[in-house]
Amino acid sequence: MVKSELCELLGIRYPVFQGGMAWIADGKLAAAVSEGGGLGIIAAGNAPADYVRSQIRIARELTDKPIGLNIMLMSPFADQVAQTAVEERVEVVTTGAGNPSKYMAAWREAGIKVIPVVASVAMAKLVTRLGASAVIAEGGESGGHVGELTTMVLVPQICDATHLPVLAAGGIADGRGVVAAFMLGACGVQMGTRFLSAEECTIHPVYKEKILKATDLCTMVTGKRLGHPVRSLRTPFARNYWKAEYGGMPDEELEALGGGALRLAVQEGDEERGCFLAGQIAAMVKKTQPAAEIVAQVMAEAEPILKGAAAWVE
Ligand code: TUI
């Protein structure tokens, strides 16, 4: 079985996190991943603290294994959700889309392991100084809010910049991706898009179908002009947004065009107005299966590849 220091650190069987996907990663999905031996992560997204609390409690009903909470730092409710993490005593907090500095002391005092998503060396160094337990180096192959660098170049640079355990994210969907991440210096992975096809993932059937039918070139990045680049499926909505973005639509109108688009994709499956976030490995997601099976399968695939790596050396 493939293990790493992350397993002991967090009390999990496999060094695999399920990404905290806004509107998608709820208590049910997170519990299924944690039951399967990975770390399931509930996404707070832009939701209020009460919703987040209820999802944590749903997960606690379904599993006694550790669970994580992802806090999207651009959320208007980030302060309250940060407090909810403390009150509900989640084992792990991951953060995204910003700088988590102002919350880190409070989380650490509560005994929570803080594992920020970082997209740059500077942020990795900062959170290392502030007492993070590990970092997730997320490359721009990922779905949703993306940084500048790819996983291939980000992961080794983050590994050189911190003594903390590093998880790789962005562009990983199977055992080959896990092994590649380990070769770059990571000791764990986070996957998001691969879990969109999980049986316990409650996204609209249209969303699931789009992922299962995706091809290699089917994602694109929009939102750069407003400073929030987001990777999603190349749908009529994404193309129209891109045209408006580069066609000179004023900022406020562009913001309004994107407002509510994640919800419309996840809950309504609205192909014209919804924004279907997905990473570049969408085409590698081929079937619906239980979340626990995804975790076990990916790690089982990794094992023979890791064992076989010695064959490259004479
Ligand atoms: O956060 C994500 N992915 C997301 S968040 C999201 S919700 C959203 N909705 C609309 C617009 C924007 C977001 C959907 N997907 N991934 C983690 C991640 N964090 N990727 C990149 C970063 C990041 C970026 C900047 C982390 C730190 C950072 O620091 C900025 C600073 O202050 O220097």
Side-chain angles (χ1 to χ4, degrees), residues 43-292:
N46 274 322
D50 279 352
Y51 169 83
V52 175
R53 194 185 306 280
S54 71
Q55 292 304 317
I56 295 169
R57 292 186 180 174
I58 287 170
R60 294 293 193 206
E61 291 282 313
L62 296 169
T63 184
D64 55 7
K65 302 214 161 52
I67 55 163
L69 174 65
N70 175 260
I71 304 187
M72 211 281 280
L73 295 164
M74 280 166 26
S75 163
F77 301 108
D79 286 353
Q80 291 96 313
V81 173
Q83 182 57 30
T84 304
V86 172
E87 288 163 8
E88 297 293 319
R89 305 214 158 270
V90 292
E91 286 78 12
V92 175
V93 162
T94 64
T95 63
N99 180 342
S101 299
K102 71 170 171 168
Y103 305 115
M104 287 197 44
W107 288 331
R108 284 185 60 200
E109 276 161 30
I112 295 172
K113 300 216 162 55
V114 186
I115 309 187
V117 173
V118 298
S120 70
V121 163
M123 189 58 68
K125 286 183 173 164
L126 177 67
V127 299
T128 300
R129 276 201 306 279
L130 293 175
S133 293
V135 295
I136 303 167
E138 186 184 273
E141 297 94 321
S142 67
H145 182 68
V146 291
E148 278 291 324
L149 300 177
T150 60
T151 303
M152 183 79 147
V153 300
L154 183 66
V155 172
Q157 293 187 71
I158 299 292
C159 291
D160 286 347
T162 181
H163 64 276
L164 296 174
V166 175
L167 294 97
I172 300 168
D174 63 13
R176 293 170 298 181
V178 172
V179 174
F182 277 46
M183 295 299 110
L184 294 175
C187 62
V189 298
Q190 174 167 280
M191 299 188 296
T193 305
R194 176 76 201 255
F195 286 107
L196 292 178
S197 70
E199 277 169 13
E200 298 86 352
C201 179
T202 50
I203 55 175
H204 195 280
V206 166
Y207 201 150
K208 261 188 203 179
E209 200 54 34
K210 281 186 174 303
I211 295 296
L212 293 172
K213 289 198 174 135
T215 55
D216 56 349
L217 298 177
C218 69
T219 73
M220 63 188 288
V221 174
T222 55
K224 269 195 176 164
R225 205 187 85 202
L226 295 180
H228 314 308
V230 163
R231 181 178 299 285
S232 68
L233 295 179
R234 196 182 290 277
T235 57
F237 170 82
R239 285 179 205 271
N240 287 338
Y241 191 98
W242 196 90
K243 277 189 209 139
E245 185 176 5
Y246 294 98
M249 182 184 269
D251 282 7
E252 310 77 60
E253 278 178 53
L254 202 54
E255 293 268 13
L257 190 61
L262 297 187
R263 192 196 71 76
L264 285 169
V266 174
Q267 291 185 347
E268 317 278 330
D270 186 331
E271 310 197 42
E272 295 299 322
R273 294 178 301 152
C275 180
F276 295 78
L277 299 184
Q280 287 185 317
I281 54 77
M284 293 165 71
V285 181
K286 299 213 171 66
K287 63 172 184 181
T288 296
Q289 58 192 142

